[in-house]
Amino acid sequence: MSPPVSVIVVGAGNRGEIYSKYASIHPERMKVVAVADPRKFARSKLQQQHNIEEENMFEDWNQILEREKFADAVLICTPDRLHKEPAVAFALRGYHILLEKPMATNAKDCRAIVGACTKSGVILSVGHVLRYDPIIHKIKTLIDSGAVGDVIHIQHLEPVGFYHFAHSFVRGNWRNEAESSFALLAKSCHDIDLIHHWAGSRRCLKVSSFGSLSHFRKENKPEGAADRCLDCSIESTCPYSARKIYLERVEQGHTGWPVSVICQNSQPDIESVTTALRTGPYGRCIYECDNDVCSNQIVNMEFEGGLTAAFSMVAFTEKMCSRQTTIYGSRGELTCDGLEIRVFDFLTEKTTKHSPGNETPQHFSFSGHGGADYHLIDAFIAAVAKRDPSLIRSGPEETLMSHLLVFEAERSRLESRVVSCRDLS
């Protein structure tokens, strides 16, 4: 029996911890042998979970490269702007790479990562987890089988969720483009990637985009509101109250996401969460943050053969990340609400329902992507173990192309013009 694939976790935050759970479920397939993170609490948490030797605990990933190669693969889960350097460095040392999305925050860095992995002959899997969602995979299978005939138009919506957007994109790590990246890349590169994937071999020819930051602005701060929710006399009337989003959840016994994110140096409880809300960024009034990323954005695309696609991302929704998709074809119409696929056949005028099974371990069932995180890491570990890149659904070249479409869409928004994509490569 082959030994488990040995991995190093670079970035021990929420994503790094989620992917590393695979080793706890399947110790015969994967073993976490090292972790690098500047935060002692985050490092220690993974060390305890995976019994990592002290000599393999690092504050800086560069320290790992001072040693001979001692693992098969690296899971890079650092902040968005810190993807390129470790990805290139580890690839050139012969480590296979699972890289959290987005690949990088600009086209040059994305190309550098793909180039390094190609040059070294290592496997690269980018964290487009939705590619591994059984229901998303079924949509692609149905398209390729001709269930709707020639695809004419794709309509796709990402409802971010009102408190999710407030947590991640107003108060949180992805609120400010200079510190992270623009919203279409940070949140919706998944969705542009899916549209590109569903379009198959047809290249995108033109793209246009419009969007802005709505509502979460200082001028919309209600009269009498304080700078922090715990000090605010009108907090109970605000749907974005930090007390409601975090503290009330802890009081109800919920310590997972998003509560787990706001306590960087301790386990979340009433005391630590209260302290975080009084002193940290997540306790700020939603109208007094340094956020500047779009809260709503649309992207229109034209592909070869006349295929068109329209994507919408909006923050102000009840549903959270439950994508809504309609694909219009020459022989039928496919709709998906995230749980079930319905295909209406124009010839028979009958509807067929598809509900793909999703056997996901409990550890992954609440990770926020419908269990797709599990299927992504499962495919990556299998690909490394078998030296078979074909098992990766989000490999280098196609992922690079979908990222380039995201960059061009944002350029369209900023420059208020239709952008040609004919020369993308």
Side-chain angles (χ1 to χ4, degrees):
M1 185 175 180
S2 301
V5 173
S6 54
V7 305
I8 298 167
V9 179
V10 175
N14 184 56
R15 300 304 299 162
E17 184 177 2
I18 286 173
Y19 290 135
S20 66
K21 285 180 180 178
Y22 188 86
S24 301
I25 300 168
H26 297 295
E28 77 285 0
R29 299 184 195 173
M30 173 177 140
K31 179 176 176 60
V32 178
V33 298
V35 59
D37 195 293
R39 300 164 298 174
K40 183 178 180 180
F41 179 77
R43 291 197 310 274
S44 298
K45 189 176 181 182
L46 256 64
Q47 181 181 30
Q48 293 170 9
Q49 290 175 356
H50 301 287
N51 195 27
I52 301 171
E53 296 179 7
E54 189 61 36
E55 65 178 16
N56 290 341
M57 302 291 291
F58 303 93
E59 292 185 18
D60 188 329
W61 59 264
N62 285 285
Q63 296 170 308
I64 299 172
L65 297 174
E66 295 172 2
R67 291 169 49 176
E68 292 295 321
K69 182 173 179 285
F70 64 94
D72 299 310
V74 179
L75 314 182
I76 299 176
C77 304
T78 50
D80 296 355
R81 290 189 174 274
L82 302 179
H83 283 185
K84 183 251 186 175
E85 289 191 8
V88 169
F90 281 106
L92 294 178
R93 287 290 297 273
Y95 289 93
H96 300 291
I97 307 290
L98 191 158
L99 178 62
E100 178 56 14
K101 65 84 187 167
M103 185 184 292
T105 58
N106 60 70
K108 180 180 178 182
D109 287 354
C110 289
R111 290 189 175 100
I113 292 168
V114 171
C117 291
T118 302
K119 177 181 178 181
S120 298
V122 300
I123 292 170
L124 171 64
S125 176
V126 178
H128 280 311
V129 295
L130 296 184
R131 288 279 197 104
Y132 300 83
D133 185 329
I135 200 164
I136 295 294
H137 187 56
K138 184 64 175 179
I139 290 175
K140 176 63 172 171
T141 301
L142 288 167
I143 291 172
D144 292 346
S145 72
V148 296
D150 293 331
V151 176
I152 308 299
H153 180 71
I154 299 171
Q155 190 86 31
H156 186 65
L157 165 70
E158 181 183 13
V160 180
F162 72 99
Y163 79 83
H164 178 14
F165 193 90
H167 166 74
S168 296
F169 300 95
V170 181
R171 295 182 173 114
N173 293 336
W174 295 274
R175 71 190 182 280
N176 186 286
E177 184 175 343
E179 294 185 15
S180 176
S181 57
F182 53 95
L184 190 66
L185 182 65
K187 188 70 187 81
S188 301
C189 64
H190 283 310
D191 303 280
I192 302 302
D193 179 71
L194 288 182
I195 291 171
H196 180 253
H197 182 53
W198 291 329
S201 61
R202 287 182 277 188
R203 293 187 307 116
C204 184
L205 303 178
K206 289 182 280 187
V207 63
S208 66
S209 183
F210 308 90
S212 62
L213 169 60
S214 300
H215 188 68
F216 300 116
R217 295 174 173 274
K218 295 183 187 298
E219 59 265 30
N220 292 322
K221 183 177 181 180
E223 185 177 351
D227 290 346
R228 287 192 172 270
C229 294
L230 295 189
D231 302 323
C232 186
S233 62
I234 61 172
E235 165 270 325
S236 63
T237 67
C238 179
Y240 307 102
S241 159
R243 179 187 294 276
K244 183 180 77 161
I245 294 174
Y246 307 109
L247 196 55
E248 289 184 8
R249 277 181 165 79
V250 177
E251 291 171 348
Q252 295 165 6
H254 177 86
T255 57
W257 187 93
V259 175
S260 59
V261 175
I262 76 172
C263 298
Q264 295 288 323
N265 299 309
S266 64
Q267 293 288 355
D269 55 29
I270 291 176
E271 182 179 357
S272 62
V273 169
T274 299
T275 299
L277 297 185
R278 289 205 177 279
T279 61
Y282 293 94
R284 293 179 293 179
C285 173
I286 203 74
Y287 306 103
E288 284 289 350
C289 298
D290 57 340
N291 58 302
D292 61 8
V293 299
C294 287
S295 59
N296 49 288
Q297 187 165 356
I298 60 172
V299 179
N300 298 311
M301 290 166 276
E302 181 183 9
F303 291 82
E304 291 176 327
L307 166 63
T308 55
F311 166 67
S312 299
M313 178 275 287
V314 61
F316 307 96
T317 63
E318 174 187 359
K319 292 184 177 180
M320 185 173 70
C321 302
S322 180
R323 272 84 172 175
Q324 313 291 302
T325 305
T326 303
I327 298 177
Y328 302 91
S330 59
R331 296 185 63 87
E333 177 181 317
L334 181 154
T335 59
C336 179
D337 62 1
L339 298 174
E340 180 183 72
I341 302 168
R342 299 166 62 92
V343 177
F344 178 79
D345 187 291
F346 293 163
L347 179 63
T348 64
E349 297 190 27
K350 293 181 179 179
T351 297
T352 304
K353 298 179 181 179
H354 303 268
S355 299
N358 186 2
E359 296 181 4
T360 304
Q362 186 175 1
H363 294 72
F364 280 85
S365 59
F366 300 107
S367 65
H369 296 115
D373 293 323
Y374 172 80
H375 298 294
L376 183 149
I377 186 68
D378 184 63
F380 176 70
I381 294 302
V384 172
K386 298 176 182 178
R387 301 294 191 268
D388 185 359
S390 70
L391 299 175
I392 302 297
R393 296 180 189 169
S394 50
E397 294 301 333
E398 191 174 3
T399 301
L400 173 61
M401 186 57 65
S402 69
H403 273 62
L404 295 180
L405 287 180
V406 174
F407 295 129
E408 293 303 277
E410 183 67 2
R411 184 152 71 97
S412 168
R413 185 185 75 86
L414 293 173
E415 297 178 5
S416 298
R417 67 181 182 90
V418 176
V419 172
S420 172
C421 301
R422 293 178 182 273
D423 298 326
L424 286 186
S425 62

